[in-house]
Amino acid sequence: MLSKLGATSQEMEIVPEGKNFRIVPEDELQAVADFLVRYMPESLKPNSQIYESVTVFCPSARADLVDLVTSESILLDLTQPLYLNFTHEAIVNRFEKRYEAHDKITGDVYACDNPPADVDTDGLPPDVELVRLQPEHMKAVHDLYPASDIECREVFEKLVAELPAYGIFVEGQLAAWMVQSYYGAMFSMQTRPEFRRKGYGIYLARRLTKEVAARGYKPFVVIRPENDASRSLYTKLGFEKRFRTVRAVLRPR
């Protein structure tokens, strides 16, 4: 579907076609979905907070096809900046032919083809529990989320209402947590400072990895290049690096 969300309006405008795009009829949707799923998560992800909200799927090996977006006269207002959440580096590089990137943050995507079979929690002390999280836990999670200025608490509440999320509770207090997001993404592993270096992360990652895979997704995470601890944890669980992504605000040149 071809759609656009105005910078100052929350109303979605559906346009039948643009210079390079058209609405996909219902009888073609399944074939399109079957094609797109091969390239998750190599996409531009939607964001409704800043400027335009856009989702574009593009095989990274054909990043030249991004030019179809930047030459589109209806789909995008090319005079406005675009916010890109973590997006394949090749796609961002192609956008930089027309845009200048600001506030760049890089992250490496690690995926797991063979999730661990063992999710044993016997190693946890008696006063520590691994518990599935509920929407009412999300205020505590959001308060420590490093990108809370981008993602509102309601996003977390909706995610955990539909998708698995787990927390470590120590004597009833939430000490660490991890959430599944879109597709097989696993994110927001956070530990309160006073509970760090106790090995809770491996229990959370192991449980969520197995559950995400059981739901039919390929588990993956985005790890900042300088985060040696996270890289070490996930490689122990069989995650391997696939590609680099970039988060940035793109401003027209």
Side-chain angles (χ1 to χ4, degrees), residues 85-239:
N85 203 347
F86 286 113
T87 302
H88 197 291
E89 185 177 45
I91 296 174
V92 177
N93 290 343
R94 198 71 184 188
F95 264 93
E96 287 190 276
K97 291 177 60 181
R98 293 199 58 150
Y99 293 89
E100 183 175 344
H102 295 259
D103 304 320
K104 262 188 173 183
I105 295 176
T106 59
D108 295 324
V109 170
Y110 282 72
C112 182
D113 291 323
N114 300 295
D118 179 21
V119 292
D120 186 17
T121 59
D122 289 347
L124 290 172
D127 61 343
V128 178
E129 291 183 284
L130 179 64
V131 177
R132 179 148 182 176
L133 297 178
Q134 302 299 324
E136 56 265 29
H137 296 126
M138 289 303 102
K139 183 182 186 305
V141 170
H142 186 261
D143 286 347
L144 286 182
Y145 183 51
S148 59
D149 58 326
I150 297 173
E151 303 283 4
C152 63
R153 191 175 82 197
E154 289 74 17
V155 169
F156 284 79
E157 292 172 348
K158 291 178 180 178
L159 283 173
V160 300
E162 302 292 336
L163 298 171
Y166 285 90
I168 293 285
F169 286 79
V170 179
E171 296 183 345
Q173 180 182 0
L174 181 59
W177 54 85
M178 192 172 191
V179 180
Q180 180 189 348
S181 182
Y182 53 87
Y183 317 125
M186 296 160 44
F187 83 116
S188 190
M189 179 188 280
Q190 301 290 323
T191 303
R192 292 185 181 279
E194 63 269 32
F195 294 108
R196 289 174 183 162
R197 301 188 183 280
K198 297 181 181 296
Y200 295 151
I202 194 73
Y203 290 97
L204 288 169
R206 187 185 295 127
R207 171 62 67 86
L208 196 58
T209 298
K210 183 174 182 180
E211 187 152 342
V212 168
R215 293 169 63 88
Y217 297 101
K218 178 176 289 188
F220 71 92
V221 292
V222 179
I223 301 175
R224 296 285 297 275
E226 67 274 15
N227 193 338
D228 295 333
S230 288
R231 184 166 51 254
S232 174
L233 185 153
Y234 287 106
T235 53
K236 288 178 183 176
L237 294 177
F239 284 73

Side-chain angles (χ1 to χ4, degrees), residues 51-72:
Y51 317 121
E52 300 281 344
S53 176
V54 184
T55 304
V56 178
F57 296 92
C58 176
S60 57
R62 291 298 315 278
D64 58 295
L65 296 176
V66 171
D67 294 348
L68 294 174
V69 178
T70 57
S71 62
E72 174 60 47

